[in-house]
Amino acid sequence: MARNPFHFTEGFGNPDTERESLDRALIPSDQNEPQWAVGGSYQVVRIIRFATDLWDKDSVGEQERIVGRQRDGRWFDGTPVDESMNARLHFKRVRGVTRSQARMN
């Protein structure tokens, strides 16, 4: 896993194998896409401006509080965040549910 420009560990949802990457990226024939797209993929380009100079002025503790986990990807109590929990992290923060409640969903 790599660290993002804000120094937090990322990559929890990355495919483990080349086959998984292809399965996620290539458009199958049963997706209601134009015939010319089948077997290909779409490219999406996003331009993101990171305000790292402002972010770096906050303490590591404040950064972790904002993101909702430690920089190394672990919960505040030290429990590792598995892929399913990471996918729910933003949901948890927005909905205000606890980690045990999120596991039940």
Side-chain angles (χ1 to χ4, degrees):
M1 285 189 259
R3 290 192 184 265
N4 67 22
F6 294 115
H7 317 293
F8 279 79
T9 301
E10 297 294 346
F12 292 99
N14 293 339
D16 291 326
T17 66
E18 183 177 350
R19 180 75 251 165
E20 271 187 283
S21 292
L22 291 173
D23 288 344
R24 289 185 186 189
L26 299 181
I27 299 169
S29 59
D30 61 353
Q31 294 294 309
N32 283 338
E33 295 292 334
Q35 185 58 41
W36 58 261
V38 173
S41 63
Y42 290 108
Q43 178 178 2
V44 176
V45 177
R46 295 186 318 171
I47 298 173
I48 301 172
R49 294 173 54 188
F50 291 103
T52 54
D53 53 331
L54 295 174
W55 179 255
D56 288 341
K57 291 179 182 177
D58 286 334
S59 68
V60 170
E62 178 65 4
Q63 292 172 0
E64 290 176 337
R65 186 193 67 75
I66 292 167
V67 172
R69 60 181 167 85
Q70 297 175 13
R71 279 186 170 183
D72 65 1
R74 295 160 60 92
W75 293 103
F76 291 123
D77 67 1
T79 305
V81 179
D82 67 14
E83 184 174 336
S84 64
M85 286 304 299
N86 190 58
R88 296 177 183 172
L89 180 62
H90 293 289
F91 170 80
K92 180 181 89 68
R93 302 258 311 152
V94 171
R95 297 301 282 278
V97 298
T98 65
R99 188 173 68 219
S100 61
Q101 290 169 324
R103 281 192 181 132
M104 294 187 302
N105 293 332

